[in-house]
Amino acid sequence: MANTVLATSDSRLKRFNRASVELLSSMRFAIALLTIISIASIIGTVIKQGEPYANYVNQFGPFWAEIFNGLGLFAVYTAWWFLLILAFLVVSVSFCVLRNAPKMLADVRAWKEHVQEGGLRALHHHFEFSTGNLSTQAAAAKIADQLAKEGYSVKTLVSEDSSRVLAKKGAASKWGYIFAHSAIVLICLGGLLDGDLFTRGQIWFGGKSVLPESTQGMLISDIPSEHKLSEANPSYRANIFVPEGGTSATALLSSTSGSIIQELPFSVSLKKFHVEYYSTGMPKLFMSEVLIKDLDTGKETEAKIKVNEPMIHRGVAIYQSSFEDGGSKLKLRAYPMQGAANSVQTSFIVDGNVGQSTKLKSSDGTSYTLEFSGFRPTNVENISNASGQSDARGVALQQSDAGLKKLLGDRLGSGAKTSKPVDLKNVGPSVQYKLRDAAGQALEYSNYMQPLFIDEMPMFMLGVRQSSAEEFKYLRIPADANLSMNEWLILRTLLQDSGARQRAVQRFIGTIGQQQGFAGAPQMLNQLRESASRSIELFSGSTAFAIQQAKEAGIKPGGFAALGSFIDKAVPEADQQKAAEVVLKVLNGVIWELWQEARGQLKLPPSKNDMESQRFIQAATSALSDANFYPAPLVFQLESFEEVKASVFQVTRSPGKNMVYLGCLLLTLGIFAMFYLPERRIWVRSLSNGKQLFAMSTSRKTLDFEKEFEKYQKDFQ
């Protein structure tokens, strides 16, 4: 009984093994795996791979980011399930080759002599022909000779009363099948070897771990060994950051969950970095002069590494990947953007290096941390909106398109609008920084050193964004005749000074009274004074009345939005457009007077009332309105810099590279053989009636095959 049970168990196990091998080596299983790999590759193409996890949270939200991360969609090509599918594909195709290759090779060697007359007549391409008075042996020899001239391998079987001529050509198509399937195995194996399989293995089984955020920023020598991979790691793809004059012997492997240090058997010193630009300011060529020092032998080698021209040292390829700032020395001037203090007089200098930070305090005593996050010596930009429509990259939030708020914006315009296409080229240096408050919250800023000419008017561009996933939105400040922000800054200061506002109103009333002859009409002057005072107070947003009006309207106090909201609420709809035109004229006049006082503080003569001055005051008024949406107590303007360049090298050790190259070669040969070298066989058999039976077959019917068959039919007939 026990023997019977064991025999039954062995039988079931054999059937299971046979069924498993049958499934793994089947074409449908391999196609299913390829389909899954194709879908995963599409996902890996659509979703940017290897980004920090915070970027995915900003893009997809915390809920979906957590789900996608759990599925490994942020690192598809190194996910465990993707590697498992590749492994199954290798096994499946290998079984398929092992099962079918011997049969195919035997078929290549076989002449198929066993095919009888009935089998030949069953072929679609056959015909009979007569050899005349030729003997059986002579006819067979003549037929064999002609087929040999056509490139066929020929075998003749002749007896006294019968003959058979066997011919074949294109047997390499069977090799094409073997080559193509073997190529898939080699390419997949090479991909597995060149991926992060070895790195993951060391993390899973070797006690290694990803570098946590708490230890990032530490010196390399202080990082624990569990976060470092030895130089014996057989496969990796990492990056080295080397500033000019600096040296590095470690690389960084980055992933969504963090990074890990890869030690190298050599050090890389950057002696000099060269970069050439096109006339537009775009980089044309960048190259690094490096010194490679072998850490085992001490041998030093000088080299020049260019894009697509790597250096190979001890089996590690060193590629020029990109270039970044290496800690440039920056000098910034800080201007207060809040309060009624003179921004020019209270400005101060802040020095720092890119990648470092410094502590600051604003005028109200609030502590901030200024982080120098980036510097670019050249910028190729097209910031303005050439269509004349509202610019989505303006710093001011878009208000409702209905009502007086839109009319006010359309009437005075904005530095964000242009009337014709603007093709900006290299617009000079820019600085990027973060201003972090005591609670750890930070906004990112990007300011251009030089004014940009937008619609033929110089504008300082002050960019701000809440996260790196957003685009910068810009506050556009018009430059004065000295290409500085001084006149606008003092104008902003005077706008926040209640005394200056009242002085400007009085001067405006006096000017209008003289121009319009209102000196003898005190009631008219009082109404005009009240209108001017209310307009400038609402626009400044600094009075209790302006703040209350903004709170009721649900908007920020000050600017065009405050004026538009007040007119919408206080003036009947039929009279709103006329009222808005009056308010704009009054506001324009009062701000003009503020500007003259600002010029006086700078010891400049009063401005002439010409077209250029009107353009400046309109752009300045728009900037004053937009400044309500610029969330910064200080503006930092780049005054000078000392650039320090740095190279980013990619170092790769690829043991599977040659396997992939061989696989690509075999795949090319295999596809060529299968598609362009179809197998063809010919049988010519003598019949009892004295005629010959010609039959022909092919692995792929083509137009050439039909023509060849017709040719033989004509020749032998």
Side-chain angles (χ1 to χ4, degrees), residues 105-368:
L105 295 178
D107 189 58
V108 168
R109 293 189 297 267
W111 288 94
K112 298 189 177 181
E113 305 168 1
H114 59 279
V115 181
Q116 302 299 317
E117 179 181 344
L120 297 179
R121 293 187 180 276
L123 296 176
H124 181 269
H125 295 81
H126 72 275
F127 62 88
E128 294 183 9
F129 65 95
S130 174
T131 57
N133 298 324
L134 291 176
S135 64
T136 301
Q137 293 81 357
K142 190 172 182 179
I143 293 170
D145 183 61
Q146 182 169 346
L147 293 177
K149 291 179 181 179
E150 298 290 340
Y152 281 87
S153 298
V154 181
K155 181 178 182 180
T156 305
L157 301 175
V158 181
S159 61
E160 294 182 358
D161 56 349
S162 65
S163 65
R164 283 182 292 170
V165 178
L166 311 175
K168 59 182 180 180
K169 182 170 65 173
S173 62
K174 292 290 194 303
W175 281 105
Y177 173 90
I178 298 173
F179 285 168
H181 286 70
S182 300
I184 294 175
V185 175
L186 289 174
I187 292 172
C188 290
L189 284 176
L192 288 171
L193 291 177
D194 287 351
D196 66 346
L197 190 62
F198 291 103
T199 301
R200 284 181 173 272
Q202 294 179 67
I203 293 175
W204 291 337
F205 310 111
K208 302 297 182 179
S209 61
V210 173
L211 190 66
E213 293 185 1
S214 59
T215 59
Q216 291 186 8
M218 296 174 56
L219 295 175
I220 296 296
S221 57
D222 296 335
I223 295 177
S225 59
E226 61 263 24
H227 305 309
K228 297 180 180 179
L229 301 177
S230 74
E231 61 182 48
N233 188 12
S235 174
Y236 53 81
R237 187 181 303 271
N239 292 318
I240 313 178
F241 176 86
V242 188
E244 282 184 329
T247 301
S248 178
T250 56
L252 191 68
L253 283 82
S254 299
S255 66
T256 304
S257 56
S259 55
I260 192 167
I261 303 299
Q262 172 63 58
E263 295 181 331
L264 302 174
F266 53 84
S267 65
V268 180
S269 301
L270 180 60
K271 298 173 61 178
K272 186 68 176 177
F273 179 78
H274 302 273
V275 59
E276 298 179 9
Y277 296 93
Y278 291 104
S279 59
T280 60
M282 294 294 290
K284 177 173 62 175
L285 170 69
F286 43 96
M287 177 192 69
S288 298
E289 294 184 17
V290 299
L291 180 68
I292 309 297
K293 181 179 180 180
D294 194 292
L295 299 182
D296 293 334
T297 64
K299 181 181 178 181
E300 295 183 345
T301 304
E302 293 187 357
K304 294 181 179 180
I305 302 177
K306 302 178 182 179
V307 177
N308 297 326
E309 296 182 17
M311 177 185 179
I312 310 297
H313 183 75
R314 293 184 61 175
V316 179
I318 309 171
Y319 294 89
Q320 178 71 64
S321 176
S322 62
F323 61 94
E324 295 182 5
D325 189 275
S328 296
K329 300 177 181 179
L330 308 177
K331 179 180 286 187
L332 307 181
R333 180 169 290 276
Y335 297 97
M337 284 288 285
Q338 296 175 357
N342 189 311
S343 298
V344 177
Q345 293 180 355
T346 57
S347 65
F348 56 93
I349 293 295
V350 180
D351 295 320
N353 292 18
V354 174
Q356 298 181 358
S357 62
T358 185
K359 300 291 185 180
L360 297 173
K361 279 191 176 182
S362 63
S363 57
D364 60 359
T366 305
S367 298
Y368 292 93

Side-chain angles (χ1 to χ4, degrees), residues 538 541-555 557 565 569:
L538 282 170
S542 57
T543 64
F545 174 73
I547 295 173
Q548 181 62 29
Q549 288 288 319
K551 184 177 181 181
E552 292 177 359
I555 60 175
S565 178
K569 183 177 180 181

Side-chain angles (χ1 to χ4, degrees), residues 509 513 517-532:
I509 295 303
F518 292 161
Q523 185 177 0
M524 183 71 72
L525 289 177
N526 288 335
Q527 290 179 354
L528 184 59
R529 181 181 294 104
E530 182 181 354
S531 177

Side-chain angles (χ1 to χ4, degrees), residues 420-439:
K420 60 183 179 180
V422 177
D423 183 19
L424 298 179
K425 299 184 184 300
N426 181 12
V427 296
S430 67
V431 60
Q432 293 81 43
Y433 61 90
K434 291 182 179 180
L435 199 59
R436 193 177 301 277
D437 59 23

Side-chain angles (χ1 to χ4, degrees), residues 610-673:
D610 53 17
M611 182 63 69
E612 183 178 352
S613 297
Q614 287 297 326
R615 290 177 60 198
F616 176 86
I617 202 64
Q618 287 188 6
T621 305
S622 297
L624 290 171
S625 176
D626 292 350
N628 293 301
F629 302 96
Y630 188 74
L634 297 166
V635 162
F636 296 88
Q637 189 66 16
L638 181 62
E639 284 211 344
S640 63
F641 61 88
E642 182 181 339
E643 185 184 8
V644 178
K645 301 185 181 73
S647 271
V648 179
F649 301 103
Q650 184 181 83
V651 289
T652 62
R653 176 173 280 170
S654 308
K657 178 177 63 176
N658 293 331
M659 295 178 65
V660 174
Y661 289 159
L662 178 60
C664 292
L665 176 62
L666 291 179
L667 185 62
T668 303
L669 294 175
I671 292 176
F672 178 83

Side-chain angles (χ1 to χ4, degrees), residues 570-636:
V571 180
E573 185 175 356
D575 300 328
Q576 286 182 359
Q577 183 167 355
K578 184 177 180 181
E581 293 176 356
V582 173
V583 168
L584 289 175
K585 289 179 180 179
V586 171
L587 177 67
N588 211 13
V590 176
I591 293 181
W592 176 275
E593 297 298 336
L594 282 175
W595 182 33
Q596 303 315 305
E597 184 173 341
R599 289 178 62 87
Q601 290 189 13
L602 292 170
K603 298 181 180 181
L604 297 173
S607 178
K608 296 179 180 180
N609 192 358
D610 53 17
M611 182 63 69
E612 183 178 352
S613 297
Q614 287 297 326
R615 290 177 60 198
F616 176 86
I617 202 64
Q618 287 188 6
T621 305
S622 297
L624 290 171
S625 176
D626 292 350
N628 293 301
F629 302 96
Y630 188 74
L634 297 166
V635 162
F636 296 88

